[in-house]
Amino acid sequence: MEVSSEPQPGEIGFAHVGNLREQPIFTTRAHVFQIDPSTKKNWVPASKQAVTVSYFYDSTRNSYRIISVDGAKVIINSTITPNMTFTKTSQKFGQWADSRANTVFGLGFPSEQQLTKFAEKFQEVKEAAKLARDRSQEKIETSSNHSQTSFAAKMKRESGRETPSSTRASSVNGTDDEKASHGGPAEAHLKSENDKLKFALAQSSSNVKKWETELQSLRESNARLSTALQESAASIEHWKKQFSACKEENDQLRGKIEELEEQCNEINKEKERNAQLSRRLQELETELQDKELELEELRKQGEIIPELMSECESVSEQLQAAEKKNKDLEEKVRTLRTEVEENKHRQTNLKTELKNFLDVLDGKIDELHDFRQGLSKLGVDN
């Protein structure tokens, strides 16, 4: 599968299938994010769900890219350079900056293991890209040196050829026409070779300028990334300080809350004490009112004490009369008890006689019963 080297944003990076110039070497799935271009701090989701993220290797250009496609939209097309750095910001999230795309990509993985594998592959690809760049620079330098050496050697050879021919021409034919006829083909060949060498030198120079430009852009990208990293570190320190300040303030507020809670508890206890005292005061007031009522009743009773004394004397007289009557009644009761005892004794004697009579009667009834049975037997026998 061939992928165009630098597709525009929003275009599909897969040019056509058939050349198989670019092959995937590692594939995983992750949630893709991009840094907000306005704030350069907040992350903006580039995909609604986890998408496929792959490393591709271009054997022709000897380059590596990270590509991710969500439906028909390319959300990552980042060529890996030796100056790039993949940073783990959490257990499942990592990021890297792409100066060519002028953005920072972020990937959220389902597990820490997948993040570690992706980071290791990024470092491996980065080393391979660095090695490829070094080899390319060596080839360019070698080609440039070889072109310059070849040009100097050809110039020397052509110069050596031109001197004997001109000498021979001047010695054999002294006219200018004969010299021109002998020197023309050599000069034309030399000129064509010179043009070829100039073209090769210009192409080599343009390649060198191109690599210098790319190197400069990479240096600028590295500087921007370093600046961004420093800003990120500064912002992290700033947030750390703010976090520490907030933590200290939170601790202070917690201490104040605890103090206020203690004060509230004390206030509640005081309220309970006051409520108890209020209830006790009401009870005492109620008791005082009851005592006043009792005192008033006692005062009223004190006013009727003389009447009660007279009534008490009359009652005492009645009591003495009742005691006399009681003594008379006691005498009667003793007499009645004596009579009752005598009646009981009589009843006991009657009960004994009645029992004897009942025993005799039972014997007579048994004899009568036997007599009837005997009669019954006699009747049956007859």
Side-chain angles (χ1 to χ4, degrees), residues 258-270:
E258 291 177 355
E259 292 177 359
L260 291 173
E261 287 178 351
E262 292 178 357
Q263 293 178 2
C264 288
N265 292 329
E266 292 178 357
I267 291 171
N268 291 329
K269 291 179 180 178
E270 290 294 332

Side-chain angles (χ1 to χ4, degrees), residues 161-346:
R161 290 175 184 174
E162 185 179 359
T163 302
S165 62
S166 60
T167 303
R168 285 195 302 270
S170 59
S171 62
V172 176
N173 297 320
T175 62
D176 293 336
D177 295 336
E178 291 177 353
K179 187 193 299 183
S181 62
H182 286 284
E187 289 180 358
H189 179 70
L190 180 61
K191 188 175 181 181
S192 64
E193 291 292 331
N194 192 11
D195 291 338
K196 291 180 181 179
L197 291 173
K198 285 180 179 180
F199 178 75
L201 183 61
Q203 187 175 7
S204 176
S205 300
S206 65
N207 289 332
V208 171
K209 289 179 180 179
K210 180 180 177 181
W211 285 107
E212 287 178 352
T213 304
E214 186 173 355
L215 181 61
Q216 185 63 26
S217 66
L218 291 174
R219 287 175 179 172
E220 293 175 356
S221 174
N222 192 15
R224 286 197 297 270
L225 289 174
S226 299
T227 304
L229 185 61
Q230 291 176 359
E231 292 177 354
S232 177
S235 65
I236 289 172
E237 292 296 329
H238 176 67
W239 285 113
K240 284 182 178 179
K241 291 179 181 178
Q242 285 190 352
F243 178 75
S244 300
C246 290
K247 189 175 181 181
E248 292 177 357
E249 186 177 359
N250 190 15
D251 294 336
Q252 293 176 359
L253 291 174
R254 284 182 178 176
K256 290 181 180 179
I257 289 171
E258 291 177 355
E259 292 177 359
L260 291 173
E261 287 178 351
E262 292 178 357
Q263 293 178 2
C264 288
N265 292 329
E266 292 178 357
I267 291 171
N268 291 329
K269 291 179 180 178
E270 290 294 332
K271 286 182 178 179
E272 291 178 357
R273 293 194 193 100
N274 292 332
Q276 292 176 357
L277 291 173
S278 299
R279 289 193 295 270
R280 181 59 181 167
L281 181 61
Q282 291 177 357
E283 292 175 357
L284 292 173
E285 289 177 352
T286 305
E287 290 179 359
L288 181 61
Q289 291 177 358
D290 295 337
K291 294 295 182 183
E292 288 178 353
L293 292 173
E294 290 178 0
L295 181 62
E296 186 67 24
E297 291 177 356
L298 290 173
R299 285 175 183 174
K300 290 179 181 179
Q301 291 177 1
E303 293 176 355
I304 61 174
I305 285 175
E307 298 177 358
L308 293 174
M309 291 296 290
S310 61
E311 290 180 359
C312 185
E313 289 177 356
S314 63
V315 168
S316 296
E317 292 176 356
Q318 292 176 0
L319 182 61
Q320 290 175 359
E323 285 179 352
K324 290 180 181 180
K325 289 180 180 180
N326 191 16
K327 288 179 180 180
D328 295 337
L329 291 172
E330 285 179 354
E331 289 295 332
K332 290 180 180 181
V333 166
R334 281 194 292 271
T335 304
L336 290 172
R337 283 180 178 174
T338 303
E339 292 177 357
V340 167
E341 290 292 332
E342 291 176 355
N343 289 329
K344 284 183 178 180
H345 184 67
R346 291 173 185 174

Side-chain angles (χ1 to χ4, degrees), residues 65-126:
R65 283 198 295 168
I66 300 176
I67 296 175
S68 180
V69 180
D70 186 8
K73 181 182 178 182
V74 176
I75 54 178
I76 299 179
N77 185 11
S78 176
T79 301
I80 300 176
T81 62
N83 296 324
M84 287 184 177
T85 302
F86 185 82
T87 305
K88 294 181 182 179
T89 57
S90 67
Q91 291 183 350
K92 298 180 182 181
F93 192 86
Q95 66 183 43
W96 79 96
D98 191 341
S99 59
R100 293 182 178 181
N102 194 21
T103 187
V104 179
F105 293 103
L107 296 179
F109 293 88
S111 64
E112 184 179 1
Q113 184 179 5
Q114 294 182 4
L115 172 61
T116 302
K117 289 182 179 179
F118 188 89
E120 292 174 353
K121 196 65 180 178
F122 193 98
Q123 185 66 26
E124 179 183 343
V125 170
K126 174 183 172 182

